[in-house]
């Protein structure tokens, strides 16, 4: 193990929880485990801070401000106080929905693998809001909707929801409260996303990055409404969220990692990694961290050099950074937290 990747702790989840059952924010870590427990853990030590009973461990967890939401596979949406763990409310009869996108005091719930229309829940009381929110037809697979802040000014509440489907070569931006269209863009091909539905990633400067078709990387500037093609790849890319840091684009591929310098339109192929990309990458100081087959986490710098590697107890399905110096890895019944604070630049 390279000491520049330090494993702080690893927790056995007893079952293979859904990768979406893990949520992380600055200083907050929550996961569903052991058939029917939602647990908040101390990110530094892994020690339990509170736990609550839920229906299963295959649902979706989201941390939104002081709220922690859990949508169970059984179709119950729970709201807990993220600090105390106290249950605020629970709303049943929401089966066959998997996505949770939060805008202010409204939660948007989408379908399992996308084949359900969006519904809205008022987070103050857990009540369904009347009327069907505009969106794609129910027979069109929906990507996980992304909440977009149109004006980054403090206190601004001008949020919108970004919509994409597997059939339409278009993006739709809807006002989160009224459903009025705030923008619509044609694409070269429909947005490409996995069964988990996560198609979009946000770069450091606020651009929304996604894959149109299997080879075209695009970016949306929500504030200006500008759309651009960042890169056209010469081979099919896996359906993983993309990583953009500054003017560097990182493409996780089964054969390795491709690093694109967008200013120079140059590429670096990193092919000496274990084959098989199992999740998207996350940015670290001086480079990016990737999960590979064989349960390996590997850090790569912009020159294509590896400068950190560790093998974890189980396959890695998802990586989440907490906004500080920690990265959490979940997969196949294990949750592991890695400290990247000592990584050199």
């Amino acid at each position: 193990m390279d000491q520049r990747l330090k494993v702080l702790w690893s927790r056995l989840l007893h079952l293979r929880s859904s990768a979406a059952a893990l949520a992380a924010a600055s200083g907050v870590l929550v996961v569903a485990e052991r058939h029917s427990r939602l647990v908040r853990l101390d990110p530094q030590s892994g020690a339990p801070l509170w736990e609550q009973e839920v229906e299963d461990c295959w649902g979706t967890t989201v941390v939104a401000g002081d709220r922690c939401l859990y949508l169970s596979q059984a179709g119950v949406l729970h709201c807990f106080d993220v600090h105390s763990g106290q249950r605020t409310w629970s709303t049943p009869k929401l089966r066959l929905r998997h996505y949770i996108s939060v805008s202010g005091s409204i939660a948007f719930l989408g379908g399992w693998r996308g084949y359900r229309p969006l519904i809205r829940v008022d987070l103050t009381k857990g009540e369904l809001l009347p009327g069907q929110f505009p969106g794609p037809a129910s027979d069109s697979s929906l990507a996980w909707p992304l909440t977009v802040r149109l004006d980054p000014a403090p206190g601004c509440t001008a949020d919108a929801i970004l919509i994409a489907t597997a059939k339409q070569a278009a993006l739709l931006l809807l006002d989160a409260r009224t459903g009025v269209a705030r923008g619509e863009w044609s694409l070269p091909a429909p947005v490409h996303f996995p069964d988990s539905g996560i198609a979009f990633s946000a770069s450091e400067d606020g651009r929304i990055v996604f894959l149109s078709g299997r080879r075209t990387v695009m970016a949306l500037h929500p504030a200006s409404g500008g759309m651009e093609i960042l890169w056209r790849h010469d081979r099919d890319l896996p359906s993983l969220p993309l990583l953009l840091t500054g003017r560097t684009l990182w493409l996780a591929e089964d054969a390795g990692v491709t690093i694109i310098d967008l200013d120079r339109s140059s590429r670096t192929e990193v092919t000496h990694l274990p084959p098989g990309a199992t999740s998207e990458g996350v940015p670290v100081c001086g480079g990016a961290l990737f999960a590979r087959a064989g349960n390996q986490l590997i850090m790569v710098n912009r020159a294509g050099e590896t400068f950190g590697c560790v093998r974890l107890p189980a396959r890695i399905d998802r990586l989440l950074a907490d906004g500080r110096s920690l990265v959490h890895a979940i997969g196949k019944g294990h949750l592991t937290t890695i400290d990247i604070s000592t990584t050199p630049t």
Side-chain angles (χ1 to χ4, degrees):
M1 182 183 73
D2 193 315
Q3 292 302 314
R4 288 173 290 188
L5 269 180
K6 179 183 178 183
V7 174
L8 288 183
W9 52 269
S10 186
R11 182 178 179 89
L12 180 64
L13 303 179
H14 300 281
L15 283 176
R16 186 170 186 172
S17 303
S18 164
L22 176 69
S26 182
V28 178
L29 183 65
V30 185
V31 67
E33 61 171 26
R34 290 180 292 153
H35 291 276
S36 60
R37 290 291 183 273
L38 188 71
V39 185
R40 181 181 173 187
L41 306 172
D42 183 299
Q44 289 287 342
S45 66
L49 300 178
W50 55 254
E51 71 171 54
Q52 283 283 0
E53 184 175 0
V54 290
E55 292 74 28
D56 51 59
C57 61
W58 303 292
T60 303
T61 308
V62 168
V63 174
D66 293 333
R67 297 183 177 97
C68 176
L69 303 175
Y70 183 72
L71 176 61
S72 67
Q73 195 178 74
V76 182
L77 179 63
H78 302 275
C79 180
F80 304 97
D81 182 282
V82 75
H83 304 291
S84 67
Q86 180 179 356
R87 191 186 309 263
T88 307
W89 48 260
S90 296
T91 301
K93 300 181 181 180
L94 301 174
R95 292 191 68 246
L96 299 179
R97 289 180 171 84
H98 179 59
Y99 310 156
I100 304 178
S101 302
V102 176
S103 171
S105 61
I106 299 175
F108 292 80
L109 307 186
W112 187 260
R113 295 192 173 181
Y115 295 98
R116 300 289 286 181
L118 286 177
I119 60 174
R120 297 174 298 161
V121 176
D122 183 344
L123 293 183
T124 57
K125 297 181 179 179
E127 297 174 344
L128 287 174
L129 293 174
Q132 183 173 336
F133 192 78
S138 59
D139 63 344
S140 182
S141 180
L142 180 70
W144 197 310
L146 181 70
T147 302
V148 176
R149 178 58 54 88
L150 296 180
D151 186 347
C156 175
T157 58
D159 285 350
I161 292 289
L162 189 61
I163 302 291
T165 73
K167 290 184 178 181
Q168 297 172 306
L171 280 185
L172 183 63
L173 191 65
L174 302 176
D175 187 280
R177 289 198 168 273
T178 65
V180 172
R182 302 294 296 269
E184 188 170 1
W185 300 266
S186 296
L187 304 175
V191 174
H192 187 56
F193 52 90
D195 282 346
S196 65
I198 301 176
F200 307 112
S201 62
S203 69
E204 298 161 329
D205 61 4
R207 284 179 292 175
I208 308 303
V209 186
F210 60 94
L211 193 58
S212 175
R214 296 297 300 265
R215 299 187 177 190
T216 304
V217 180
M218 303 192 69
L220 169 67
H221 301 253
S224 66
M227 181 79 73
E228 64 176 322
I229 295 177
L230 294 179
W231 181 257
R232 294 187 190 272
H233 209 43
D234 55 4
R235 52 183 175 262
D236 289 351
L237 292 167
S239 55
L240 294 172
L242 303 163
L243 177 60
L244 177 65
T245 60
R247 296 293 295 169
T248 302
L249 177 66
W250 310 76
L251 305 178
E253 303 186 65
D254 287 338
V257 173
T258 302
I259 306 168
I260 312 295
D261 184 327
L262 296 174
D263 288 326
R264 300 178 181 178
S265 295
S266 63
R267 59 196 283 175
T268 301
E269 304 275 357
V270 185
T271 58
H272 56 275
L273 306 179
T278 65
S279 77
E280 71 273 24
V282 295
V284 299
C285 183
L289 181 66
F290 295 93
R292 308 296 296 178
N295 312 342
Q296 294 196 55
L297 277 178
I298 297 177
M299 291 192 295
V300 182
N301 65 19
R302 290 178 176 85
E305 302 164 329
T306 56
F307 61 102
C309 179
V310 65
R311 186 185 298 273
L312 299 188
R315 172 190 163 92
I316 305 158
D317 294 326
R318 189 183 182 200
L319 297 176
L320 278 181
D322 76 340
R324 297 181 178 180
S325 63
L326 304 181
V327 173
H328 310 289
I330 185 173
K332 208 167 183 178
H334 277 81
L335 172 61
T336 303
T337 292
I338 302 97
D339 184 355
I340 57 172
S341 61
T342 57
T343 302
T345 58

